Amino acid sequence: MKTTTSCILRFAVTVFLAVVPSCFSADKQYEECIAPLRCGPGPGRLRNVTYPFWGVNKPNYCGQTEFQLSCKNDLNLILHLKTFSFLVLSFDLENQTLTVANESLFEGRCPSISLNFTGTNQFTIAPTSKKIDLFICPVPEMVNPLSSFTCRKSNGDMVTYYTFKTSDSVPECVKLGEVPVLSSVLDDFQRSRLTLEEALVKGFDIRYNIRDDKSCRRCSRSGGVCGSELVSGSFRCLCTDKPHNFTCNDEGK
């Protein structure tokens, strides 16, 4: 009887030791960074947003500092680039491209903050985007624009932007700046199939550059998740056991 009881106890201890570690097998940073970035309670329309982007439910060690995203109205992801704020319409992580639109357009305001946007250190306007010249005209009745767009400026004043065919001369008007649009919609716009506002709302493409891109690919192939060191921001490969320097197969931290 004692032998049977002893065997049962040893069996129970063995099972307990075998089961408990599986509950804590994954590293905390790995679990947080492999989880999808969510904007609001639902699954959202932009899924599989991964490194180098972080924000909302993903801590900063899940990405790189310059690639923070915020969530607005539990629905839209916003990318802030210095003084610019863009609504993210779609991701193409394979080609490192985002389609974005000026956030103010969806709030009934003018897109003035994106005038003459040329990019930042990490983001540049993609070749799949072109620019449209915007003008203001003191005497609108004297011009024949391709399209126009009336909106409210940040100070409350109403303003009308005009666009013209490239061949047209507009001496009465003053060029205010340039706005990028998708190359794919530029032809429809120039053929008057789209208004200026409709073209702007469709957004434009920007490309981004990732530091340690090769290291990230190696990390992913080893089963890890790309991330960064909390203090220095240097690259880390986040794995189920712990963060590593380059891949889940090395002996890094």
Side-chain angles (χ1 to χ4, degrees), residues 180-248:
V181 296
L182 291 172
S183 301
S184 58
V185 305
L186 184 59
D187 183 63
D188 283 341
F189 170 71
Q190 292 176 336
R191 294 175 182 272
S192 300
R193 296 171 182 167
L194 291 174
T195 66
L196 174 60
E197 182 178 8
E198 290 170 338
L200 295 178
V201 167
K202 289 182 178 292
F204 61 98
D205 290 339
I206 56 176
R207 297 199 65 182
Y208 58 90
N209 300 311
I210 306 178
R211 300 189 308 270
D212 303 308
D213 185 39
K214 291 183 179 179
S215 296
C216 183
R217 294 178 186 274
R218 290 173 55 199
C219 171
S220 298
R221 286 195 295 266
S222 72
V225 177
C226 303
S228 60
E229 203 276 326
L230 187 59
V231 178
S232 68
S234 58
F235 179 82
R236 286 292 183 271
C237 183
L238 309 179
C239 307
T240 55
D241 60 343
K242 60 184 178 181
H244 290 247
N245 287 333
F246 300 106
T247 74
C248 294

Side-chain angles (χ1 to χ4, degrees), residues 67-86:
F67 296 86
Q68 182 179 7
L69 298 172
S70 62
C71 181
K72 186 171 184 178
N73 300 326
D74 286 341
L75 179 63
N76 298 315
L77 287 175
I78 305 296
L79 174 66
H80 301 282
L81 301 180
K82 295 183 177 180
T83 59
F84 306 99
S85 294
F86 297 109

Side-chain angles (χ1 to χ4, degrees), residues 89-249:
L89 302 178
S90 65
F91 285 82
D92 184 351
L93 299 178
E94 182 66 26
N95 294 310
Q96 298 184 1
T97 303
L98 301 180
T99 302
V100 300
N102 194 291
E103 181 188 10
S104 60
L105 287 169
F106 299 85
E107 298 176 343
R109 294 184 290 113
C110 295
S112 57
I113 59 172
S114 67
L115 290 176
N116 302 316
F117 175 77
T118 57
T120 64
N121 291 336
Q122 298 297 325
F123 293 87
T124 56
I125 295 180
T128 50
S129 296
K130 303 296 182 182
K131 291 185 177 180
I132 295 177
D133 293 336
L134 292 189
F135 295 83
I136 52 175
C137 303
V139 189
E141 59 271 15
M142 295 181 63
V143 299
N144 182 29
L146 176 63
S147 183
S148 63
F149 172 41
T150 301
C151 53
R152 186 178 301 277
K153 299 170 63 175
S154 57
N155 62 4
D157 294 342
M158 300 299 291
V159 62
T160 299
Y161 298 135
Y162 296 88
T163 58
F164 299 87
K165 292 183 178 179
T166 54
S167 59
D168 288 349
S169 175
V170 285
E172 301 87 357
C173 304
V174 178
K175 181 178 175 180
L176 183 64
E178 301 173 335
V179 288
V181 296
L182 291 172
S183 301
S184 58
V185 305
L186 184 59
D187 183 63
D188 283 341
F189 170 71
Q190 292 176 336
R191 294 175 182 272
S192 300
R193 296 171 182 167
L194 291 174
T195 66
L196 174 60
E197 182 178 8
E198 290 170 338
L200 295 178
V201 167
K202 289 182 178 292
F204 61 98
D205 290 339
I206 56 176
R207 297 199 65 182
Y208 58 90
N209 300 311
I210 306 178
R211 300 189 308 270
D212 303 308
D213 185 39
K214 291 183 179 179
S215 296
C216 183
R217 294 178 186 274
R218 290 173 55 199
C219 171
S220 298
R221 286 195 295 266
S222 72
V225 177
C226 303
S228 60
E229 203 276 326
L230 187 59
V231 178
S232 68
S234 58
F235 179 82
R236 286 292 183 271
C237 183
L238 309 179
C239 307
T240 55
D241 60 343
K242 60 184 178 181
H244 290 247
N245 287 333
F246 300 106
T247 74
C248 294
N249 303 321

